[in-house]
Amino acid sequence: MLEQLIKDSQALDRALAGEELSYNDGLELMNYDNLHLLAAVADDARKKLVGEIVTFAASYYMNYTNVCAASCQMCAFYRKDGADDAYTLTPQEIEQRVGIAQQMGATEVHIVGGFHPKLPLEYYEDMMKLIKKNHPQLNIKALTAAEIFYLSKLTKNSTKEVLSRLKSAGLDSMPGGGAELFHPDVRSKIARGKCTGQQWLDVIEEAHGMGINSNVTMLYGHIEKPEHIVDHLIKIRELQKKTRGFLTLIPLKFSLDNTELEQEHLVNNECSSVYDLKIIALSRLMLANVLNNISVYWVAYGKKLAQVALSNGGNDLVGTAFSEEVYRAAGKPTASSVEELATMVKEIGRSPAQRNTHFKVLRTF
Ligand code: SF4
């Protein structure tokens, strides 16, 4: 049926046949204007690869500090050290909050923060040891590859040494943040002060090699061009073929409010929902058979658009995401219970399942 509808796209033909898409195929699909057909092929691939289940985790999001030595043009969260509203939590404060989150049913803690110029490696070790000691069942998903890179420069340890010490202290997995877009032409204009795309990939490859699995993100909807999206997806695919360490791709819609990109009028509007859906569909098709979890970050989309995105290639909702200060800084709502996410999935005729960090199903509804 779909074969008969596709008349004008060799890339879509190849995608439907389950073939690996090339860079040029990716570009063709980014510029393809029949979203319905693109979505139908992506949804078909999703069905074949992962079936009808839509997963989500019970996550607690924690930002240990908003102090940051970088000043990314796409960020509304960072503060300079000494600013009135700058904060840094102590390991004890973090552990207390994590304890409450566990009582509320969280199975993982997602801990990220700014590049704090004064916190020593021991701060992070103490934080993780304290959490592990008191909450051994919780998966500690902490510090992006960009934070690890910064910490290595700050403390004059190799990234491998930093990862190894944190792993010994309790680090179980890593979030996918800081990936932004790997392409240097766009990265330097949105993520000033952050490691390069290649450095991010190198750190995450090291982590995967040490048994620390991670997510990976893709920040879109700002100043990028189609080739930057395709480049990013292919780099993820190539590394995943080597390490098999990525758990999911989380495309992140750029949130405009309070960022330098907005203030400098480099981006005046957030991208359209049509573009959001194209990104989800393309992610599914470019990564098919290599990374089969494509997450829909409902916090950024809102629940209604998230439901549509799940019908455009997505199969995961990330998680409950309560207390997510980074998005809140840009004015997005961030709390929802496991039951609400399950209802959202049932409303579109799919099967909700709570998962752990590693995508093992813990509970169905
Ligand atoms: S995105 Fe991260 S590294 Fe960049 S300014 Fe914000 S907190 Fe700092």
Side-chain angles (χ1 to χ4, degrees), residues 56 90 114 158:
F56 43 81
T90 65
S158 68

Side-chain angles (χ1 to χ4, degrees), residues 68 70-72 74-75 77-78 114-115 194:
C68 190
S71 50
C72 298
M74 35 56 80
C75 181
F77 175 69
Y78 73 90
F115 297 167
K194 217 169 246 183

Side-chain angles (χ1 to χ4, degrees), residues 63 65-80 113-116 144 146-147 178 180 190-194 326:
N63 296 107
T65 183
N66 63 353
V67 173
C68 190
S71 50
C72 298
Q73 301 91 317
M74 35 56 80
C75 181
F77 175 69
Y78 73 90
R79 297 291 181 274
K80 288 297 150 200
F115 297 167
H116 197 298
T144 66
E147 286 170 271
E180 321 305 358
I190 62 167
R192 178 175 49 220
K194 217 169 246 183
V326 174

